[in-house]
Amino acid sequence: MVATAVCLPQSLVALDWFGTAAFAFSGTLTAARQDMGVIGALFLATITALGGGTIRDLLLGEGGQAFWIKEVMYFRVVLLTSVLTLLAWPGLAKFFNLEDSAWPFCFADAMGLAAFTICGARTGLDSGVGIEGASLSGLLSACGGGIMRDVITNEPPRALHANRSAYATPALIGALIYVVLREGGVQENVALWTGFVVGLGMRIVAFSLNIAPLKARLRESEWESVVTDLVKR
């Protein structure tokens, strides 16, 4: 779900790779819970880590190729992470009594989310889209692969539902802050790190305090009004 390593300054490249591995780890564990085969696990890990960025690049017309086709190292990171997870995670989880929902894994996921958000937003700006398009590019880069993973495994997408801690909201706000600051003439590194820290901080607070996004549910009376209006039409 990220762009090329060139997209980020050297200060964030490590987080870019780290986030790729974190999302591949998540996809592999999801495949294992779904009783998939090895190929299924590798496929789901790839979708989770690289899917959002792939869609983003296709929408932006980035040379007609997804970023991981041009920089195959991203796929190699996914492949290595997935294989190591399948081989080592069962024993490590049992020996250390680990759960993939533990705080360290949530923190790693949050760092990946923030890094992917900024990289996606920057790719959007460099492609010539406006503030709205670049912000949505960051959101798609961060959340697109996870949504695809959940759809494939017939699970409610975490980023789209209000019964889970806020996920898409921190990504969108982090991307928007970065884009607005950069377009407003703020120094690149300042804009980048401000958006990154805000996105990361919001996600950490959300999963620590179990803060959910606003629900789109209408009150019963409002639903009745909507149905009545539709019938009249």
Side-chain angles (χ1 to χ4, degrees):
M1 289 187 291
V2 289
T4 64
V6 178
C7 168
L8 290 173
Q10 290 299 315
S11 55
L12 270 182
V13 168
L15 287 176
D16 194 24
W17 296 118
F18 181 81
T20 302
F23 276 61
F25 172 77
S26 171
T28 303
L29 289 187
T30 300
R33 294 193 200 98
Q34 295 285 328
D35 200 26
M36 291 185 177
V38 173
I39 298 300
L42 296 177
F43 176 78
L44 206 61
T46 303
I47 288 292
T48 306
L50 309 177
T54 300
I55 297 175
R56 178 207 63 219
D57 287 351
L58 294 177
L59 291 176
L60 294 175
E62 287 290 290
Q65 292 181 330
F67 67 95
W68 58 275
I69 298 295
K70 292 181 286 187
E71 291 199 25
V72 72
M73 183 59 68
Y74 282 98
F75 179 72
R76 292 172 181 169
V77 170
V78 171
L79 182 63
L80 178 62
T81 301
S82 185
V83 170
L84 290 177
T85 300
L86 292 173
L87 292 176
W89 174 252
L92 290 175
K94 183 177 181 180
F95 185 81
F96 292 104
N97 193 27
L98 293 173
E99 295 287 342
D100 62 297
S101 58
W103 196 90
F105 297 105
C106 292
F107 182 75
D109 182 84
M111 288 202 298
L113 179 81
F116 294 172
T117 294
I118 300 304
C119 195
R122 184 172 180 176
T123 299
L125 286 179
D126 291 345
S127 297
V129 300
I131 291 177
E132 297 87 348
S135 299
L136 292 176
S137 178
L139 175 64
L140 179 59
S141 299
C143 301
I147 293 174
M148 295 169 65
R149 173 202 62 209
D150 293 340
V151 170
I152 291 173
T153 56
N154 199 29
E155 296 287 340
R158 175 174 63 176
L160 302 181
H161 286 261
N163 62 340
R164 305 283 295 274
S165 59
Y167 199 82
T169 303
L172 181 60
I173 293 178
L176 183 61
I177 288 175
Y178 163 71
V179 170
V180 170
L181 288 178
R182 176 172 154 174
E183 290 295 278
V186 175
Q187 185 180 4
E188 170 68 15
N189 278 339
V190 174
L192 185 151
W193 280 106
T194 301
F196 176 84
V197 170
V198 169
L200 174 64
M202 288 185 64
R203 176 57 189 150
I204 290 174
V205 170
F207 72 67
S208 297
L209 303 180
N210 196 29
I211 299 175
L214 294 175
K215 292 185 178 182
R217 184 178 301 162
L218 298 174
R219 293 192 298 271
E220 186 175 352
S221 59
E222 292 174 317
W223 276 115
E224 292 175 354
S225 176
V226 170
V227 173
T228 300
D229 290 342
L230 289 174
V231 171
K232 288 181 179 179
R233 294 178 185 176

